[in-house]
Coordinates of all heavy atoms in Angstrom, one line a residue:
M150 N 2.5 18.3 36.9 CA 2.2 18.9 35.5 C 0.9 19.6 35.6 O 0.0 19.2 36.2 CB 2.1 17.7 34.6 CG 1.7 18.2 33.2 SD 1.7 16.8 32.1 CE 1.6 17.7 30.6
R151 N 0.9 20.8 35.0 CA -0.3 21.7 35.0 C -1.3 21.0 34.0 O -0.9 20.6 32.9 CB 0.1 23.1 34.5 CG 1.0 23.8 35.4 CD 1.3 25.2 34.8 NE 2.3 25.8 35.6 CZ 2.2 26.7 36.5 NH1 0.9 27.2 36.7 NH2 3.0 27.4 37.1
T152 N -2.6 21.1 34.3 CA -3.6 20.6 33.5 C -4.5 21.8 33.1 O -5.2 21.7 32.1 CB -4.5 19.6 34.1 OG1 -5.0 20.0 35.4 CG2 -3.7 18.3 34.5
D153 N -4.5 22.9 33.8 CA -5.2 24.1 33.5 C -4.6 24.7 32.2 O -3.4 25.0 32.1 CB -5.1 25.1 34.6 CG -5.6 26.5 34.2 OD1 -6.8 26.5 33.7 OD2 -5.0 27.5 34.5
P154 N -5.5 24.9 31.1 CA -5.0 25.4 29.9 C -4.3 26.8 30.1 O -3.2 27.0 29.4 CB -6.1 25.5 29.0 CG -7.1 24.6 29.5 CD -6.8 24.5 31.0
V155 N -4.8 27.6 30.8 CA -4.2 28.9 31.0 C -2.8 28.9 31.7 O -1.8 29.5 31.4 CB -5.1 29.9 31.8 CG1 -4.4 31.2 32.2 CG2 -6.4 30.2 30.9
G156 N -2.8 28.0 32.8 CA -1.5 27.8 33.4 C -0.4 27.2 32.6 O 0.7 27.6 32.6
R157 N -0.8 26.2 31.7 CA 0.1 25.6 30.8 C 0.6 26.7 29.8 O 1.7 26.7 29.4 CB -0.5 24.4 30.0 CG -0.7 23.3 30.9 CD -1.4 22.0 30.2 NE -0.5 21.7 29.0 CZ -1.0 21.6 27.8 NH1 -2.3 21.8 27.6 NH2 -0.3 21.2 26.8
F158 N -0.4 27.5 29.2 CA 0.0 28.5 28.3 C 1.0 29.6 28.9 O 2.0 29.9 28.3 CB -1.2 29.3 27.9 CG -1.0 30.5 26.9 CD1 -0.4 30.4 25.7 CD2 -1.4 31.7 27.5 CE1 -0.2 31.5 25.0 CE2 -1.1 32.8 26.6 CZ -0.6 32.7 25.4
L159 N 0.6 30.0 30.2 CA 1.5 30.9 30.8 C 2.9 30.3 31.0 O 4.0 31.0 30.9 CB 0.9 31.4 32.1 CG -0.3 32.3 32.0 CD1 -0.9 32.6 33.4 CD2 0.0 33.7 31.3
A160 N 3.0 29.0 31.4 CA 4.2 28.4 31.6 C 5.0 28.3 30.3 O 6.3 28.3 30.4 CB 4.0 27.0 32.1
A161 N 4.4 28.2 29.2 CA 5.1 28.2 27.9 C 5.7 29.6 27.5 O 6.5 29.6 26.6 CB 4.2 27.7 26.8
L162 N 5.3 30.7 28.2 CA 5.8 31.9 27.7 C 7.1 32.2 28.5 O 7.5 31.7 29.5 CB 4.7 33.0 28.2 CG 3.4 32.9 27.6 CD1 2.4 33.9 28.3 CD2 3.4 33.3 26.1
G163 N 7.8 33.2 27.9 CA 9.0 33.7 28.5 C 8.6 34.5 29.8 O 7.4 34.9 29.9
P164 N 9.5 34.8 30.7 CA 9.1 35.5 32.0 C 8.5 36.9 31.7 O 7.5 37.2 32.4 CB 10.5 35.7 32.6 CG 11.4 34.6 32.1 CD 10.9 34.4 30.7
G165 N 9.0 37.7 30.8 CA 8.4 39.0 30.5 C 7.0 38.9 29.9 O 6.1 39.6 30.3
E166 N 6.9 38.0 28.9 CA 5.5 37.7 28.4 C 4.6 37.2 29.4 O 3.4 37.6 29.5 CB 5.6 36.8 27.2 CG 6.5 37.3 26.0 CD 6.8 36.2 25.1 OE1 7.1 35.1 25.5 OE2 6.9 36.6 23.9
R167 N 5.0 36.3 30.3 CA 4.1 35.7 31.3 C 3.7 36.8 32.3 O 2.5 36.8 32.6 CB 5.0 34.6 32.1 CG 4.3 33.8 33.1 CD 5.1 32.8 33.8 NE 5.8 32.0 32.8 CZ 7.2 31.9 32.8 NH1 7.9 32.4 33.8 NH2 7.7 31.1 31.9
E168 N 4.5 37.7 32.6 CA 4.1 38.8 33.5 C 3.0 39.7 32.8 O 2.0 40.0 33.4 CB 5.3 39.7 33.9 CG 5.0 40.7 34.9 CD 6.2 41.5 35.3 OE1 7.3 40.9 35.3 OE2 6.1 42.7 35.6
V169 N 3.3 40.0 31.5 CA 2.3 40.9 30.8 C 1.0 40.2 30.6 O -0.1 40.8 31.0 CB 2.9 41.3 29.4 CG1 1.9 42.0 28.5 CG2 4.1 42.3 29.6
I170 N 1.0 38.9 30.2 CA -0.2 38.2 29.8 C -0.9 37.8 31.2 O -2.1 37.9 31.3 CB -0.1 37.0 29.1 CG1 0.6 37.4 27.7 CG2 -1.3 36.2 28.8 CD1 -0.2 38.3 26.9
G171 N -0.2 37.6 32.2 CA -0.7 37.3 33.5 C -1.4 38.3 34.1 O -2.3 38.2 35.0
A172 N -1.1 39.6 33.8 CA -1.8 40.8 34.3 C -3.1 41.1 33.5 O -3.9 42.0 34.0 CB -0.9 42.1 34.3
R173 N -3.3 40.4 32.4 CA -4.5 40.7 31.6 C -5.7 40.0 32.3 O -5.6 39.1 33.0 CB -4.3 40.2 30.2 CG -3.3 41.1 29.4 CD -3.2 40.7 28.0 NE -2.3 41.6 27.4 CZ -2.1 41.5 26.1 NH1 -2.7 40.6 25.3 NH2 -1.2 42.3 25.5
P174 N -7.0 40.4 31.9 CA -8.2 39.7 32.4 C -8.1 38.3 32.1 O -7.7 37.8 31.1 CB -9.3 40.5 31.7 CG -8.7 41.7 31.2 CD -7.3 41.5 31.0
R175 N -8.7 37.6 33.0 CA -8.8 36.0 32.9 C -9.4 35.6 31.6 O -9.0 34.7 31.0 CB -9.6 35.5 34.1 CG -9.7 34.0 34.0 CD -8.4 33.2 34.3 NE -8.7 31.8 34.2 CZ -7.7 30.9 34.6 NH1 -6.6 31.3 35.0 NH2 -8.0 29.6 34.5
R176 N -10.4 36.3 31.2 CA -11.1 35.9 30.0 C -10.2 36.1 28.7 O -10.3 35.2 27.8 CB -12.4 36.9 29.8 CG -13.3 36.5 28.7 CD -14.6 37.3 28.7 NE -15.8 36.7 28.2 CZ -16.5 35.7 28.8 NH1 -16.1 35.1 29.9 NH2 -17.6 35.2 28.2
E177 N -9.4 37.1 28.7 CA -8.4 37.3 27.6 C -7.3 36.1 27.7 O -7.0 35.6 26.7 CB -7.7 38.6 27.6 CG -6.8 38.7 26.4 CD -6.3 40.1 26.2 OE1 -6.8 41.1 26.9 OE2 -5.5 40.3 25.3
Q178 N -6.9 35.8 28.9 CA -5.9 34.7 29.1 C -6.6 33.4 28.6 O -5.9 32.6 27.9 CB -5.6 34.5 30.6 CG -4.7 35.7 31.1 CD -4.5 35.5 32.6 OE1 -4.7 34.4 33.2 NE2 -4.2 36.6 33.3
E179 N -7.8 33.2 28.8 CA -8.5 31.9 28.4 C -8.6 31.9 26.8 O -8.5 30.8 26.2 CB -9.9 31.9 29.0 CG -9.8 31.5 30.5 CD -11.2 31.6 31.2 OE1 -12.2 32.2 30.6 OE2 -11.2 31.2 32.4
R180 N -8.9 33.1 26.2 CA -8.9 33.1 24.9 C -7.6 32.9 24.2 O -7.5 32.1 23.2 CB -9.4 34.6 24.4 CG -9.5 34.8 22.9 CD -9.9 36.1 22.5 NE -8.9 37.2 22.8 CZ -7.8 37.4 22.2 NH1 -7.5 36.6 21.1 NH2 -6.9 38.3 22.6
L181 N -6.5 33.4 24.7 CA -5.2 33.2 24.2 C -4.7 31.6 24.4 O -4.2 31.0 23.6 CB -4.1 34.1 24.9 CG -4.3 35.5 24.5 CD1 -3.4 36.4 25.3 CD2 -3.9 35.8 23.0
A182 N -5.1 31.1 25.6 CA -4.8 29.7 25.9 C -5.5 28.8 24.9 O -5.0 27.8 24.4 CB -5.2 29.4 27.3
A183 N -6.8 29.1 24.6 CA -7.6 28.3 23.6 C -6.8 28.4 22.2 O -6.7 27.4 21.5 CB -9.0 28.8 23.5
A184 N -6.5 29.6 21.8 CA -5.8 29.8 20.5 C -4.5 29.0 20.5 O -4.0 28.3 19.6 CB -5.5 31.2 20.3
W185 N -3.8 29.0 21.6 CA -2.5 28.2 21.8 C -2.7 26.7 21.7 O -2.0 26.1 20.9 CB -1.9 28.6 23.2 CG -0.7 27.8 23.6 CD1 0.6 27.9 23.1 CD2 -0.7 26.8 24.6 NE1 1.4 27.0 23.7 CE2 0.7 26.4 24.6 CE3 -1.6 26.3 25.4 CZ2 1.1 25.4 25.6 CZ3 -1.2 25.3 26.4 CH2 0.1 24.8 26.4
E186 N -3.8 26.2 22.3 CA -4.1 24.8 22.2 C -4.4 24.4 20.7 O -4.1 23.4 20.3 CB -5.3 24.4 23.1 CG -4.8 24.4 24.6 CD -5.9 23.9 25.5 OE1 -7.0 24.2 25.4 OE2 -5.5 23.0 26.4
R187 N -5.2 25.2 20.1 CA -5.5 25.0 18.6 C -4.2 25.0 17.8 O -4.1 24.2 16.9 CB -6.5 26.1 18.1 CG -7.9 25.9 18.5 CD -8.9 26.8 17.8 NE -8.5 28.2 17.9 CZ -9.0 29.0 18.9 NH1 -9.7 28.5 19.9 NH2 -8.6 30.2 18.9
E188 N -3.3 25.9 18.1 CA -2.1 26.0 17.4 C -1.2 24.6 17.6 O -0.8 24.1 16.6 CB -1.3 27.1 17.8 CG 0.0 27.4 17.1 CD -0.1 28.1 15.8 OE1 -1.2 28.7 15.6 OE2 0.8 28.1 14.9
L189 N -1.2 24.2 18.7 CA -0.5 22.9 19.1 C -1.1 21.8 18.3 O -0.5 20.8 17.9 CB -0.5 22.7 20.6 CG 0.5 23.5 21.4 CD1 0.2 23.3 22.8 CD2 1.9 23.1 20.9
E190 N -2.5 21.7 18.3 CA -3.3 20.6 17.7 C -3.2 20.6 16.2 O -3.2 19.6 15.5 CB -4.7 20.6 18.1 CG -4.9 20.4 19.6 CD -6.3 20.6 20.0 OE1 -7.2 21.0 19.2 OE2 -6.6 20.5 21.3
T191 N -3.1 21.7 15.5 CA -3.3 21.8 14.1 C -2.0 22.0 13.2 O -2.0 21.8 12.1 CB -4.3 23.0 13.7 OG1 -3.8 24.2 14.2 CG2 -5.6 22.7 14.3
D192 N -0.9 22.4 13.9 CA 0.3 22.7 13.0 C 1.2 21.5 13.0 O 1.7 21.1 14.1 CB 1.0 24.0 13.7 CG 2.1 24.4 12.8 OD1 3.0 23.7 12.5 OD2 2.0 25.7 12.5
D193 N 1.4 21.0 11.8 CA 2.2 19.8 11.6 C 3.7 20.1 12.0 O 4.4 19.1 12.4 CB 2.2 19.4 10.1 CG 0.7 18.8 9.9 OD1 0.0 18.4 10.8 OD2 0.3 18.8 8.6
E194 N 4.2 21.3 11.7 CA 5.6 21.6 12.2 C 5.8 21.4 13.6 O 6.8 21.0 14.1 CB 6.0 23.1 11.8 CG 6.2 23.2 10.3 CD 6.6 24.7 10.0 OE1 7.0 25.4 10.9 OE2 6.3 25.1 8.9
L195 N 4.8 21.8 14.4 CA 4.9 21.7 15.8 C 4.8 20.2 16.3 O 5.4 19.9 17.3 CB 3.8 22.5 16.5 CG 3.9 24.0 16.4 CD1 2.7 24.7 17.0 CD2 5.2 24.5 17.1
D196 N 4.1 19.4 15.5 CA 4.1 17.9 15.8 C 5.6 17.3 15.8 O 5.9 16.6 16.7 CB 3.3 17.2 14.8 CG 1.8 17.4 15.1 OD1 1.4 17.8 16.2 OD2 1.0 17.0 14.2
T197 N 6.3 17.7 14.8 CA 7.7 17.3 14.7 C 8.5 17.9 15.8 O 9.3 17.1 16.4 CB 8.3 17.8 13.3 OG1 7.5 17.2 12.3 CG2 9.7 17.2 13.1
L198 N 8.4 19.1 16.1 CA 9.2 19.7 17.2 C 8.8 19.1 18.5 O 9.6 18.8 19.4 CB 8.9 21.2 17.2 CG 9.7 22.0 18.3 CD1 11.2 21.8 18.2 CD2 9.4 23.5 18.1
D199 N 7.5 18.8 18.6 CA 7.1 18.2 19.9 C 7.6 16.9 20.2 O 8.0 16.4 21.4 CB 5.4 18.1 19.9 CG 4.9 17.6 21.2 OD1 5.2 18.3 22.2 OD2 4.2 16.6 21.3
E200 N 8.0 16.1 19.1 CA 8.7 14.8 19.3 C 10.0 14.9 19.9 O 10.5 14.2 20.6 CB 8.6 14.0 18.1 CG 7.3 13.5 17.6 CD 7.3 12.8 16.2 OE1 8.4 12.4 15.8 OE2 6.3 12.7 15.7
L201 N 10.7 16.0 19.4 CA 12.0 16.4 19.9 C 12.0 17.1 21.3 O 12.9 16.7 22.0 CB 12.8 17.2 18.9 CG 12.9 16.6 17.5 CD1 13.5 17.7 16.5 CD2 13.8 15.4 17.5
S202 N 11.2 18.0 21.4 CA 11.1 18.8 22.7 C 9.8 19.3 22.9 O 9.5 20.4 22.4 CB 12.2 20.0 22.6 OG 12.1 20.7 23.8
P203 N 8.9 18.7 23.7 CA 7.6 19.3 23.9 C 7.6 20.7 24.5 O 6.9 21.5 24.0 CB 7.0 18.3 25.0 CG 7.6 17.0 24.7 CD 9.1 17.4 24.2
P204 N 8.5 21.0 25.5 CA 8.6 22.4 25.9 C 8.9 23.4 24.8 O 8.2 24.5 24.8 CB 9.6 22.4 27.0 CG 9.7 21.1 27.5 CD 9.4 20.2 26.2
A205 N 9.7 23.0 23.9 CA 10.1 24.0 22.7 C 8.8 24.1 21.9 O 8.6 25.2 21.4 CB 11.3 23.4 22.0
A206 N 8.1 23.0 21.6 CA 6.9 23.2 20.7 C 5.9 24.0 21.5 O 5.2 24.9 20.8 CB 6.3 21.8 20.5
E207 N 5.7 23.9 22.8 CA 4.7 24.8 23.4 C 5.1 26.2 23.4 O 4.3 27.1 23.2 CB 4.5 24.2 24.9 CG 3.9 22.9 24.9 CD 3.6 22.3 26.3 OE1 4.0 23.0 27.3 OE2 2.8 21.4 26.5
S208 N 6.4 26.4 23.6 CA 6.9 27.8 23.6 C 6.8 28.4 22.2 O 6.4 29.6 22.1 CB 8.4 27.8 24.0 OG 8.9 29.1 24.0
E209 N 7.1 27.7 21.1 CA 6.9 28.2 19.8 C 5.5 28.5 19.5 O 5.2 29.5 18.9 CB 7.5 27.2 18.8 CG 7.2 27.5 17.3 CD 7.9 28.9 16.9 OE1 8.8 29.3 17.6 OE2 7.5 29.4 15.8
A210 N 4.6 27.6 19.9 CA 3.1 27.8 19.7 C 2.7 29.1 20.4 O 1.9 29.9 19.9 CB 2.3 26.6 20.1
A211 N 3.2 29.3 21.6 CA 2.8 30.5 22.4 C 3.3 31.7 21.7 O 2.6 32.7 21.6 CB 3.4 30.3 23.8
R212 N 4.6 31.7 21.2 CA 5.0 32.8 20.5 C 4.2 33.2 19.3 O 3.9 34.3 19.0 CB 6.5 32.6 20.0 CG 7.1 33.8 19.3 CD 8.5 33.5 18.6 NE 8.3 32.5 17.5 CZ 7.7 32.8 16.3 NH1 7.4 34.0 16.1 NH2 7.7 31.8 15.4
R213 N 3.8 32.2 18.5 CA 3.1 32.4 17.3 C 1.6 33.0 17.7 O 1.2 33.9 17.0 CB 2.8 31.0 16.5 CG 4.1 30.6 15.9 CD 3.7 29.1 15.2 NE 5.0 28.6 14.8 CZ 5.0 27.4 14.1 NH1 3.8 26.8 13.9 NH2 6.0 26.9 13.6
V214 N 1.0 32.5 18.7 CA -0.2 32.9 19.1 C -0.2 34.4 19.5 O -0.9 35.3 19.2 CB -0.8 32.1 20.3 CG1 -2.0 32.8 21.0 CG2 -1.2 30.8 19.7
L215 N 0.9 34.8 20.3 CA 1.1 36.1 20.7 C 1.3 37.0 19.5 O 0.7 38.2 19.5 CB 2.2 36.3 21.8 CG 1.8 35.8 23.2 CD1 3.0 36.0 24.1 CD2 0.6 36.4 23.7
D216 N 2.1 36.6 18.6 CA 2.4 37.4 17.4 C 1.1 37.7 16.6 O 0.8 38.8 16.3 CB 3.4 36.7 16.5 CG 4.7 36.6 17.1 OD1 5.1 37.3 18.0 OD2 5.6 36.0 16.4
R217 N 0.2 36.6 16.5 CA -0.9 36.7 15.7 C -2.2 37.4 16.4 O -2.8 38.3 15.9 CB -1.4 35.4 15.3 CG -2.6 35.3 14.4 CD -3.0 33.9 14.0 NE -3.2 33.0 15.0 CZ -2.4 32.0 15.3 NH1 -1.4 31.7 14.7 NH2 -2.7 31.1 16.4
E218 N -2.3 37.0 17.7 CA -3.4 37.5 18.4 C -3.3 38.9 19.1 O -4.2 39.5 19.4 CB -3.8 36.6 19.6 CG -4.1 35.1 19.1 CD -5.5 35.1 18.4 OE1 -6.4 35.8 18.8 OE2 -5.6 34.2 17.5
T219 N -2.1 39.3 19.3 CA -1.7 40.7 19.8 C -1.3 41.6 18.8 O -1.0 42.8 19.1 CB -0.8 40.6 21.0 OG1 0.4 40.2 20.6 CG2 -1.4 39.7 22.1
G220 N -1.0 41.2 17.5 CA -0.5 42.1 16.5 C 1.0 42.3 16.6 O 1.6 43.2 16.1
R221 N 1.6 41.6 17.5 CA 3.1 41.7 17.8 C 3.8 41.3 16.5 O 3.5 40.3 15.9 CB 3.5 40.9 19.0 CG 4.8 41.1 19.5 CD 5.1 40.3 20.7 NE 5.2 39.0 20.4 CZ 5.6 38.0 21.2 NH1 6.0 38.4 22.5 NH2 5.8 36.8 20.8
Q222 N 4.8 42.0 16.2 CA 5.8 41.5 15.0 C 6.6 40.4 15.5 O 7.2 40.4 16.5 CB 6.6 42.7 14.6 CG 5.8 43.8 14.0 CD 5.1 43.5 12.8 OE1 5.7 42.8 11.9 NE2 3.8 43.8 12.6
P223 N 6.6 39.3 14.6 CA 7.7 38.2 15.0 C 9.1 38.7 14.9 O 9.4 39.7 14.2 CB 7.3 37.2 13.9 CG 6.6 37.9 12.7 CD 6.0 39.2 13.3
P224 N 9.9 38.1 15.6 CA 11.3 38.5 15.6 C 11.9 38.2 14.1 O 11.5 37.4 13.4 CB 12.1 37.6 16.6 CG 11.1 36.6 16.9 CD 9.7 37.0 16.5
A225 N 12.9 39.1 13.8 CA 13.5 38.9 12.5 C 14.0 37.4 12.3 O 14.7 36.9 13.2 CB 14.7 39.9 12.3
G226 N 13.8 36.9 11.2 CA 14.2 35.5 10.9 C 13.2 34.5 11.5 O 13.4 33.3 11.3
G227 N 12.2 35.0 12.1 CA 11.2 34.0 12.8 C 10.1 33.6 11.7 O 10.2 34.1 10.6
A228 N 9.3 32.7 12.1 CA 8.3 32.1 11.3 C 7.2 33.1 10.9 O 6.8 33.9 11.8 CB 7.6 30.8 11.8

């Protein structure tokens, strides 16, 4: 199991997103990973999802962080 926040964050991303974020400077990766960890800690909806599927909760938190932190538009029908 990965303990490095950046490694865990990158693992929660889809393959295409992982490649794009992995090519960014380490400092930006660390900033995004910190935002991802805050999302996991503070969002009650993710707590419920985490009980059912921790990987799904981590992936959802990563998607939300990328949407918010990079200005990316969420998919239609998404949160």
Side-chain angles (χ1 to χ4, degrees):
M150 179 178 186
R151 296 177 188 260
T152 57
D153 169 49
V155 172
R157 289 182 53 233
F158 172 64
L159 291 173
L162 298 172
E166 295 166 327
R167 188 176 308 124
E168 185 176 330
V169 169
I170 300 303
R173 292 185 179 186
R175 178 70 181 190
R176 191 168 206 75
E177 185 172 354
Q178 292 175 15
E179 290 170 348
R180 180 183 65 77
L181 291 169
W185 172 73
E186 287 187 315
R187 283 190 303 276
E188 186 78 17
L189 285 169
E190 291 170 1
T191 61
D192 192 301
D193 292 338
E194 285 181 22
L195 291 174
D196 285 344
T197 303
L198 181 58
D199 187 52
E200 290 179 18
L201 299 172
S202 174
E207 290 183 351
S208 181
E209 174 62 16
R212 184 193 62 78
R213 291 178 185 183
V214 165
L215 288 183
D216 290 349
R217 184 176 57 248
E218 300 287 327
T219 66
R221 187 176 75 168
Q222 292 296 316

